Amino acid sequence: MKEQQKKGRIVTGMRPTGKLHLGHYLGVLKNMVKLQDEYECFFFVADWHALTTKYNSTADLKENVRNIVLDWLAAGIDPEKANIYIQSHVLPTAELHIYLSMITPQNWVERDPTLKDLVKMIKNNDDGSRPDVSYGFLGYPVLMSADILCFNVDYVPVGIDQVAHIEITRDIARRFNNIYKTDLFKEAKPLLTNTPMLKGVDGQKMGKSFHNDIKISDDEETTTKTVMKAITDRARARKDDPGNPQNCEVAFEYWKAFASEEKIKQVQEECIAGKRGCVDCKRELAACINEELRSIRERRKYYEQHPEIVDEIIRQGDENARKATAEILEKVRAVVGMYD
Ligand code: TRP
Ligand code: SF4
């Protein structure tokens, strides 16, 4: 689709915290893949945001950035359609962050509810260290506002946990416009998906630190092993007891997320009739998940084996992002009244 025919521009970022799992795939990546046909897209790896909590453990930062890009490409983000870039390669974002930090009242950042969750994470650094909450960390929502406003987008695809940040972005945009008597910044709206969050195999929140996740990059055997650990109907003792898919906490949720309507119905009926043992059921489920991921995993392998192609995709994305943001920053400088 030609740029002009697209519905507008969007930007979204992800912190490089490690390889992505099926929760990311269903909740975020599939949506990004869909959106790339409809919008002019800028998708970036938020490596500066990683520093807000991990400034003292950067040993795996580069690798984590690379893995996000590989997972995105594997999932089907098409560099012909969407721009993939690295936040720290696009300096106009940092410049805008300075202007926005001047006009953002201190209490707006201090009351940001999402930061409270992140503070908990700071205490859980992998190496057991407990860094303090820094000045840069408090600026998390301001930096995020800069990410969004430096493209002046209409929409920001995010998970529900990020909506508070988009609210601050809108507040900051409005305040900037008021202070400098301009209508430069649009008030970006969140684009939410209604995919429910996929649980980890143990029924808790899916995440690598809980060892309950299935990674896009896992091999089939690892995936099968993990799926076999999925919680089922806890009330069911023997395999020919009638089961209740509604009480099957994790396995049936995965069936619903990955299988066709028809297949889901079959699993449900056989489970209720006591004709389906949980072990066999999960083995079949693992095969179904592996099937869905096969082409994605092949694509990931391809990009792993062709690093120069990935480098070029990022270089091009960086360049396009720099160009788009530089245009907006020129206007920002003029509106603020900087010496030119
Ligand atoms: N804060 C987001 C997260 O933790 C990542 C992010 C940074 C982001 N800047 C952004 C998302 C701008 C959307 C737009 O997931
Ligand atoms: Fe869940 Fe399948 Fe066991 Fe039924 S048979 S309880 S759906 S794992």
Side-chain angles (χ1 to χ4, degrees):
M1 199 188 286
K2 291 244 160 39
E3 296 299 305
Q4 303 85 294
Q5 292 167 300
K6 292 196 174 179
K7 286 196 268 179
R9 183 185 268 184
I10 58 176
V11 65
T12 192
M14 225 183 246
R15 277 175 298 134
T17 52
K19 293 177 174 171
L20 302 180
H21 54 56
L22 291 191
H24 298 118
Y25 172 63
L26 292 177
V28 192
L29 299 185
K30 274 187 143 181
N31 193 37
M32 287 162 81
V33 170
K34 185 167 82 74
L35 292 169
Q36 68 185 353
D37 288 318
E38 301 166 22
Y39 295 89
E40 182 194 2
C41 294
F42 289 93
F43 297 147
F44 69 97
V45 186
D47 55 349
W48 279 330
H49 274 106
L51 290 184
T52 62
T53 56
K54 296 267 214 166
Y55 61 85
N56 63 351
S57 59
T58 54
D60 48 7
L61 181 58
K62 276 186 197 161
E63 194 189 322
N64 287 345
V65 169
R66 190 75 176 189
N67 275 319
I68 298 269
V69 174
L70 288 171
D71 282 335
W72 281 356
L73 292 168
I77 290 171
D78 179 350
E80 297 287 321
K81 295 180 183 167
N83 298 293
I84 294 177
Y85 75 95
I86 312 298
Q87 184 186 34
S88 66
H89 290 186
V90 176
L91 295 180
T93 306
E95 185 183 351
L96 183 55
H97 176 241
I98 292 182
Y99 296 124
L100 300 183
S101 73
M102 301 303 165
I103 66 154
T104 304
Q106 185 181 343
N107 65 344
W108 286 15
V109 292
E110 280 172 353
R111 69 168 184 240
D112 181 314
T114 312
L115 289 196
K116 301 208 171 99
D117 292 337
L118 279 162
V119 168
K120 286 188 212 133
M121 268 185 37
I122 292 186
K123 295 175 181 162
N124 283 335
N125 253 352
D126 292 345
D127 61 359
S129 64
R130 287 182 55 163
D132 299 320
V133 170
S134 69
Y135 163 67
F137 176 81
L138 267 184
Y140 192 109
V142 186
L143 180 55
M144 189 157 156
S145 301
D147 292 327
I148 295 166
L149 296 175
C150 72
F151 290 97
N152 214 5
V153 295
D154 307 283
Y155 295 102
V156 189
V158 282
I160 190 88
D161 60 315
Q162 297 294 317
V163 169
H165 284 146
I166 311 293
E167 286 301 322
I168 293 197
T169 303
R170 294 159 63 84
D171 290 343
I172 291 176
R174 209 175 303 125
R175 187 170 163 88
F176 182 97
N177 287 349
N178 277 334
I179 289 172
Y180 299 112
K181 315 239 170 320
T182 174
D183 56 4
L184 178 57
F185 286 135
K186 298 182 200 174
E187 290 184 32
K189 290 183 261 312
L191 255 189
L192 291 167
T193 41
N194 40 22
T195 331
M197 212 46 201
L198 200 70
K199 289 181 196 164
V201 286
D202 57 358
Q204 308 299 310
K205 186 174 185 252
M206 188 180 277
K208 66 167 174 166
S209 40
F210 311 118
H211 303 291
N212 63 0
D213 61 333
I214 298 161
K215 304 242 172 23
I216 290 174
S217 50
D218 280 347
D219 59 32
E220 299 201 352
E221 208 185 314
T222 310
T223 303
T224 305
K225 271 198 198 136
T226 314
V227 172
M228 295 313 284
K229 289 193 278 188
I231 295 189
T232 61
D233 176 356
R234 294 181 203 254
R236 203 174 183 207
R238 279 182 308 270
K239 75 174 200 176
D240 42 7
D241 285 350
N244 185 351
Q246 253 149 17
N247 296 338
C248 177
E249 254 180 71
V250 178
F252 193 63
E253 293 300 308
Y254 284 17
W255 272 118
K256 286 195 286 189
F258 287 98
S260 65
E261 290 294 329
E262 227 173 307
K263 186 75 205 174
I264 298 167
K265 206 160 150 259
Q266 184 201 342
V267 171
Q268 191 162 14
E269 283 168 6
E270 290 179 2
C271 176
I272 291 169
K275 287 189 188 146
R276 172 174 276 267
C278 291
V279 173
D280 291 339
C281 184
K282 288 194 281 188
R283 194 162 289 128
E284 199 191 346
L285 170 64
C288 171
I289 293 174
N290 281 329
E291 183 61 38
E292 162 115 7
L293 292 180
R294 190 156 303 134
S295 59
I296 292 172
R297 286 167 168 163
E298 275 166 16
R299 201 151 41 220
R300 201 181 197 283
K301 283 253 149 54
Y302 171 81
Y303 283 113
E304 279 167 25
Q305 286 159 2
H306 296 85
E308 69 293 344
I309 298 182
V310 179
D311 291 342
E312 178 54 26
I313 289 168
I314 296 173
R315 197 202 56 73
Q316 188 63 54
D318 286 348
E319 190 180 310
N320 294 344
R322 277 192 218 111
K323 188 161 170 282
T325 55
E327 278 171 21
I328 290 170
L329 259 291
E330 214 167 290
K331 293 185 193 154
V332 170
R333 266 180 238 118
V335 162
V336 173
M338 303 312 290
Y339 187 89
D340 51 13

